[in-house]
Amino acid sequence: MDPELHSRSQSAGNQTVKEKQKGPVSRALTRRKHPVETGCFSIKNKGDDHMFRAEERFVPFEKKIWLSSPTMHGPELEYIKDAYEKNWMSTVGENINEVERLACETVGCKYAVALATGTSALHLAVKLAGVKPGEKVFCSDMTFSATVNPVVYEGGVPVFIDTEYDTWNMDPVALEKAFELYPEVRVAVIAHLYGTPGKIDELRAVCERHGAMIIEDAAESLGASYKGQQTGTFGTYNAISFNGNKIITGSAGGMLLTDDKDAADQARKWSTQSRENAAWYQHEKVGYNYRMSNVIAGVVRGQFPYLKEHIAQKKAIYERYREGFKDLPVRMNPFDAENSEPNYWLSCLVIDPEAMCRQVRGEQESLYLPEPGKSCPMEILETLARYNAEGRPIWKPMHMQPIFRMNGFVTREGNGRARTNAYIAGGAVGSDGKPLDVGMDIFQRGLCLPSDNKMTSEQQDTIIKIIRSCFND
């Protein structure tokens, strides 16, 4: 049975382009309007409409099931109202003071500086680390670009460290290899992907051995812990985020966390345009408009008491997915159950290599060829979107991004750039028989599932059935 060609694009309506080909069967390339930012195409033989499709069994959700949307409880509005009534509508006020206290209490650090975004927190962390123009900085590879951009703001040069399969975070073996290649590096920016702590002890040991400082990007992992210690406390300077899709939110906002009082004071000064203590506006250093609004802080203040509740809800979602997919050729995003407790921010899956249908992706469009009993991330995401449920691809690794195509990339076996040879077999697979570029492999086979904690168990059961239908013969 030949597979069906679907497509999606925001810019095109329904249209059909017929391919000329040999043989009696005509193939059609069908373009459909679709609410996803990239085009996705698949191929089918005309006349195969009898083939099983999920739409024969399911109807779209009346209200969209989001990947991860804000969950409000009521106190948030009261704190916003308090700021309004007291006219503290600026970047000072009781809400800001309280969220800084709550962050320290929750995470276990000494000082917190409330800022406009998690990205601004990372930027100030990079400044505090003293990164200079042209200086190389080791960075997590499979992450959102906000982990890396602040290094570039300061003129630093990111060098990307590949991922490991156990937690989908920075590989300590690759990090050690990176220090062999770049012994001068003194700063490493390490992220915890999708709320799962990385191999923190091993990463810290490598950095300590080479005299390097850690900046911890805990934007996705607030409330997660490693050996009983909260993420956001393992680096010299650390960042968390309250973006609209995070485990708790202020609609925006972030924080710099540290145990260094002088660093916290310096970050606070930078965040308010570096104003000096004078009766007039005097400035001796460049500053930034990075301080958190007292109104935003009111939302965050109302969210903090619900952090554990949100984590419990996210964990239940993860467990339902794991149970629902247990006999499918897929695996959920992994974590170190012995040493860590994730916050389960996003549930993800990765398809077993032998269960992948053929899929290729360009810079903006993708093409897949459905096969009986197999699927791929783009087919699953397309199918979910058809029923008004939001999933997303795994973060595209930074070393694969056009903007960083010339930056260094290090795998567990050393330099990860230009490893293949037109005249010699190999290069794409490591000596252990596994893909050498782990991040690229997870990106190719993985996706993020609808993980909204307002999703009901009944709705999630339907999503599980829809995804299972993608693998049906």
Side-chain angles (χ1 to χ4, degrees), residues 47 65 71 74 87 135 138 213 215 229 234 237 258 272 299 306 310 347 377 388 415 420 458 462 469:
I65 307 298
T71 299
N87 207 32
E135 180 178 349
F138 293 151
M213 173 191 304
I215 293 173
Q229 183 176 339
F234 293 102
Y237 311 116
T258 184
T272 51
V299 183
Y306 296 94
H310 288 190
S347 292
N388 208 21
N415 177 32
T420 61
E458 292 78 12
T462 300
S469 75

Side-chain angles (χ1 to χ4, degrees), residues 129-137 151 154-158 184-187:
V131 172
K132 298 294 189 294
E135 180 178 349
K136 290 181 173 64
V137 176
V151 173
E154 290 301 301
V157 180
E184 74 278 12
V185 171
R186 59 183 190 85
V187 178

Side-chain angles (χ1 to χ4, degrees), residues 23 139 211 240 282 333 420 437 463:
C139 298
I240 56 176
Q282 180 154 314
N333 46 323
T420 61
D437 188 335
I463 287 171

Side-chain angles (χ1 to χ4, degrees), residues 5-17 28-34 38-41 365:
L5 173 54
H6 299 298
S7 80
R8 59 180 189 215
S9 172
Q10 286 182 317
S11 60
N14 295 329
Q15 55 180 317
T16 300
V17 180
L29 183 66
T30 306
R31 182 180 287 274
R32 296 178 181 172
K33 205 165 188 179
H34 201 279
T38 58
C40 187
F41 303 88
E365 292 185 328

Side-chain angles (χ1 to χ4, degrees), residues 32 48 107 121 165 188 214 218 230 278 305 364:
R32 296 178 181 172
D48 272 350
V107 175
Y165 283 113
I214 290 177
Q230 293 277 309
Q364 293 182 320

Side-chain angles (χ1 to χ4, degrees), residues 130-320:
V131 172
K132 298 294 189 294
E135 180 178 349
K136 290 181 173 64
V137 176
F138 293 151
C139 298
S140 291
D141 182 51
M142 198 166 76
T143 183
F144 182 49
S145 63
T147 303
V148 179
N149 288 337
V151 173
V152 182
Y153 298 165
E154 290 301 301
V157 180
V159 174
F160 301 109
I161 312 302
D162 197 17
T163 307
E164 37 82 4
Y165 283 113
D166 297 332
T167 72
W168 292 7
N169 287 300
M170 184 185 286
D171 185 352
V173 177
L175 181 61
E176 182 65 53
K177 289 289 185 182
F179 278 111
E180 294 175 10
L181 294 170
Y182 306 99
E184 74 278 12
V185 171
R186 59 183 190 85
V187 178
V189 183
I190 299 175
H192 304 294
L193 196 73
Y194 300 132
T196 298
K199 297 182 176 183
I200 294 174
D201 279 355
E202 296 173 53
L203 293 166
R204 284 206 300 184
V206 173
C207 287
E208 288 171 3
R209 193 156 53 245
H210 295 277
M213 173 191 304
I214 290 177
I215 293 173
E216 187 182 7
D217 179 359
E220 300 175 6
S221 64
L222 176 61
S225 61
Y226 178 83
K227 293 186 176 181
Q229 183 176 339
Q230 293 277 309
T231 61
T233 60
F234 293 102
T236 304
Y237 311 116
N238 315 286
I240 56 176
S241 171
F242 304 113
N243 187 41
N245 63 3
K246 294 300 187 290
I247 194 79
I248 61 172
T249 183
S251 78
M255 278 195 186
L256 176 81
L257 308 177
T258 184
D259 287 337
D260 184 334
K261 183 178 185 302
D262 289 341
D265 289 344
Q266 179 63 74
R268 208 170 265 113
K269 180 179 179 178
W270 279 333
S271 73
T272 51
Q273 301 288 15
S274 294
R275 184 182 176 188
E276 299 295 332
N277 185 17
W280 46 86
Y281 287 90
Q282 180 154 314
H283 306 272
E284 298 176 11
K285 292 183 178 180
V286 172
Y288 306 90
N289 186 18
Y290 277 177
R291 197 71 163 122
M292 181 184 285
S293 155
N294 192 52
V295 178
I296 294 295
V299 183
V300 179
R301 183 181 180 183
Q303 286 268 289
F304 255 112
Y306 296 94
L307 175 59
K308 290 183 179 179
E309 178 181 318
H310 288 190
I311 292 173
Q313 292 166 343
K314 295 278 191 173
K315 182 176 182 179
I317 290 169
Y318 180 94
E319 296 293 349
R320 281 197 295 270

Side-chain angles (χ1 to χ4, degrees), residues 80 413 449:
I80 293 172
E413 295 188 4
L449 299 162

Side-chain angles (χ1 to χ4, degrees), residues 340-360:
S340 68
E341 180 64 25
N343 70 3
Y344 302 92
W345 174 53
L346 291 185
S347 292
C348 307
L349 67 77
V350 62
I351 301 170
D352 293 346
E354 62 274 11
M356 277 283 293
C357 67
R358 295 172 65 185
Q359 171 191 263
V360 293

